[in-house]
Amino acid sequence: MNLQALVKKPPSWLSGEDDAGGIVVSCRARLARNLAGYPFGTKITDEQRDLVVQQVLAAAKGSQLMETATFLDMSTLDGNERRVLVERHLVSPALADTKGQRGVLFDQSESLSIMINEEDHLRMQAIFPGLGGEAWSRISALDDELGASLDWAFTDKLGYLTACPTNTGTGLRMSVLIHLPGLVLTEDMERVLHGLSQLSFAVRGVYGEGSNALGNLFQVSNQSTLGSSEEDTVEELMRIAEQLVAFERDAQETLIADARSQVEDKVWRAYGLLSNARVLSSQEFMNLLSAVRLGLSLSVLKGVPSSFMNQIMITTQPAHLQAEAQRALDPAERDLRRAESVRRKLAELTVDTEGGAA
Amino acid sequence: MNLQALVKKPPSWLSGEDDAGGIVVSCRARLARNLAGYPFGTKITDEQRDLVVQQVLAAAKGSQLMETATFLDMSTLDGNERRVLVERHLVSPALADTKGQRGVLFDQSESLSIMINEEDHLRMQAIFPGLGGEAWSRISALDDELGASLDWAFTDKLGYLTACPTNTGTGLRMSVLIHLPGLVLTEDMERVLHGLSQLSFAVRGVYGEGSNALGNLFQVSNQSTLGSSEEDTVEELMRIAEQLVAFERDAQETLIADARSQVEDKVWRAYGLLSNARVLSSQEFMNLLSAVRLGLSLSVLKGVPSSFMNQIMITTQPAHLQAEAQRALDPAERDLRRAESVRRKLAELTVDTEGGAA
């Protein structure tokens, strides 16, 4: 696998399909699995790690879903290449940074991936756009396929065994990546966060914490993996995500009713800055992108599709910029390159800049 | 004269000719004159004011320069119409606001005008673009033409007599409107202001005082009208203006050498905001316009000519916006209309938004 080629092609889960008017970015399902007969976590030896990799690769080769998947051995990648994989959500920072034999398998679309020898022997992931529920059905299918040839560590009492007890049981972490600028602007986010914390679901800023989440992007995920079925977990998360979408739509309607000019101004200023700035920090970029995405949700600004926004959010991250430049860049150089990349890509779109005039 | 028609047509002194790369907006010459045989200033009666108006109109009619000029009687205009004239620099706020018979005569191009019964019986004004010196030659010619039929209050010892002694002598106030963003950004403006105050010249922000001048626009003018000839005054002001242009160019070169990306970023962000904002206060507008004008001076941004910038500076003022809307507008409405006007006018230009890429 050529990482340069990877960088040029967006993961398919950024397609913006089924995105509830720009509010939902993606839905992710992750299963933690371990092989019976091998120690977990830090107890495993290097030789055993090698055997785990071999077993998983053999099982994947024999599966339909991962038959043609790409395997990347982390030890053969340099630091920036590993960061590219982190930025694409193909591997965790933990997998990128730890020592020892470890790697990642992923399909062409980057929707399905398996981290090998992260905290658990396998961390299988499915990411799909919107709230379609495909993430769960696909990860479940992959689990079945691999389970046909791999012997999962499992007990009837506890379910799937994992390195950390917080994952034991279903081993399932479902999450939804959701854009909530209306709730943040109307200052209702704290109340919503408080309400969700009463349930067994966590809401985190994707980049940054609490209601100060960078770019108003939040990840909602289940916290419990014991005592409820996978189907219940998925269903409950979907219900919560749909409720958040409804709350967000209400907040956006309130904004438009109370302050249409100010909201339009905010959206178009953000578009104007993204289209023209010569220096863009990642923080400013994320906040401006959030305003443009709000414009899409409100139909204030048409012509910048959510797939476009999802993709530049990935491709303007530091490792992607460095991969494109084919060299290390200091932060000031990255801010120049980020601005240039965003500007050139926006210039390829057709945006009616009077589209949202009152 | 239809004021609606006036509002639609820019004064010719905004043409941006001879503007030293966007640095010099215009040059103005003003002569204070009074008629012998009438009281000055507050001592004059209403009947005498009427006679002054009649004499001046008759003299203008008989002149070549003002033969076809328009006369507007202030008492026939409503408040917004008077403000339009102030915004176009055709009359002073004093003439607009005082009671009694008073008016203004101006030619089609709005380059030559005469306020009648302001502080003095006549305040003649010539405004021309750039530093061409035409303002002085034209006002001098007008003075000669009118002097052939009007009897100026004059003594050999003092020169021309005026209502306020600060104008006595030549009655000449020469001024240059100049854009000095480089000196402000490099924080050299205070030093320059201090230097000029040693000479008998004043530097004022056009809208705002000192180095906090709104839009970085400064008016440099002579302070003394006694003891030096008109020609010396004109020559000295031109020399000072040329020196300021040279200082400003140095400052701009320093900026580009030390911080090209930041300067380009500032210029293009301003362009992006002016092209897209839905709400623009006059203060923000002036500051953004200054950044775009800096871009023109530095050839960072091409395609927004200084004539365009000069004109929108005039036409986005409150009375002009209200004249266009044909009704009173509250400040929030004006900010919406200002943004819309600027945006639509910018959209008519062809600007290569990658013109200044490094």
Side-chain angles (χ1 to χ4, degrees), chain A residues 62-257:
Chain A
S63 75
Q64 290 198 332
L65 286 166
M66 295 299 261
E67 190 187 355
T68 61
T70 300
F71 175 66
L72 292 177
D73 179 339
M74 285 296 121
S75 65
T76 66
L77 303 179
D78 67 25
N80 197 64
E81 289 170 329
R82 293 200 298 271
R83 287 285 127 198
V84 163
L85 299 177
V86 172
E87 290 177 356
R88 292 176 90 82
H89 299 238
L90 282 172
V91 311
S92 64
L95 191 83
D97 296 337
T98 51
K99 296 280 171 203
Q101 174 63 308
R102 67 207 189 283
V104 64
L105 252 173
F106 54 90
D107 72 347
Q108 285 285 317
S109 69
E110 299 177 47
S111 295
L112 280 178
S113 60
I114 307 171
M115 287 192 285
I116 311 176
N117 289 327
E118 204 243 26
E119 185 179 291
D120 295 296
H121 298 155
L122 292 86
R123 285 278 175 101
M124 297 185 272
Q125 169 182 277
I127 316 189
F128 284 85
L131 282 183
E134 209 174 351
W136 164 243
S137 63
R138 295 296 284 281
I139 204 70
S140 178
L142 179 61
D143 185 40
D144 291 345
E145 280 205 331
L146 298 186
S149 59
L150 294 173
D151 185 14
W152 299 138
F154 179 88
T155 70
D156 284 341
K157 190 174 167 205
L158 291 172
Y160 295 97
L161 303 181
T162 54
C164 175
T166 55
N167 295 308
T168 299
T170 61
L172 174 65
R173 184 86 67 220
M174 280 292 295
S175 64
V176 170
L177 180 57
I178 188 164
H179 183 236
L180 303 174
L183 289 171
V184 172
L185 283 170
T186 56
E187 295 179 358
D188 285 329
M189 198 61 211
E190 290 294 349
R191 193 174 49 75
V192 168
L193 290 176
H194 182 75
L196 283 171
S197 72
Q198 309 292 308
L199 309 167
S200 57
F201 284 80
V203 185
R204 293 186 201 87
V206 179
Y207 312 91
E209 280 308 307
S211 56
N212 292 321
L214 197 56
N216 300 316
L217 283 169
F218 295 88
Q219 187 160 285
V220 188
S221 60
N222 65 307
Q223 290 191 287
S224 145
T225 54
L226 260 176
S228 55
S229 72
E230 288 89 342
E231 285 73 15
D232 287 350
T233 300
V234 173
E235 219 169 82
E236 202 177 346
L237 180 67
M238 291 301 139
R239 203 172 51 243
I240 285 171
E242 277 160 16
Q243 205 160 39
L244 281 173
V245 168
F247 288 161
E248 172 62 20
R249 286 201 156 124
D250 282 352
Q252 292 188 6
E253 275 167 31
T254 302
L255 282 174
I256 277 291

Side-chain angles (χ1 to χ4, degrees), chain A residues 261-262 264-265 268-273 275-280 284 288 336 340 343-344 353-357, chain B residues 261-262 264-265 268-269 271-273 275-280 284 288 336 340 343-344 353-357:
Chain A
S261 298
Q262 284 65 36
E264 290 182 348
D265 189 51
W268 283 106
R269 280 172 182 256
Y271 171 77
L273 290 176
S275 308
N276 288 283
R278 262 51 183 172
V279 179
L280 269 182
E284 186 187 13
L288 294 173
L336 289 175
E340 188 181 345
R343 208 165 69 232
R344 299 228 156 137
T353 55
E354 287 303 316
Chain B
S261 298
Q262 284 65 37
E264 289 183 349
D265 189 51
W268 283 105
R269 280 173 182 256
Y271 172 76
L273 290 175
S275 308
N276 289 283
R278 263 51 184 173
V279 180
L280 268 182
E284 187 188 11
L288 295 174
L336 290 175
E340 188 181 346
R343 208 165 67 234
R344 300 227 156 139
T353 55
E354 287 304 315

Side-chain angles (χ1 to χ4, degrees), chain B residues 297-349:
Chain B
S297 293
L298 291 168
S299 297
V300 161
L301 186 155
K302 293 155 194 157
V304 185
S306 51
S307 58
F308 177 91
M309 290 191 264
N310 295 343
Q311 288 165 23
I312 57 172
M313 197 165 75
I314 298 293
T315 57
T316 58
Q317 294 174 102
H320 274 76
L321 292 174
Q322 294 186 139
E324 207 188 326
Q326 304 193 36
R327 66 179 178 86
L329 302 169
D330 65 33
E333 287 177 306
R334 291 204 297 264
D335 289 353
L336 290 175
R337 295 236 176 198
R338 182 176 296 111
E340 188 181 346
S341 171
V342 171
R343 208 165 67 234
R344 300 227 156 139
K345 282 175 180 145
L346 272 172
E348 290 167 14
L349 300 178

Side-chain angles (χ1 to χ4, degrees), chain B residues 107-120:
Chain B
D107 71 349
Q108 284 286 318
S109 69
E110 298 178 47
S111 295
L112 280 177
S113 60
I114 306 171
M115 288 192 285
I116 310 176
N117 289 328
E118 206 242 26
E119 185 181 293
D120 295 296

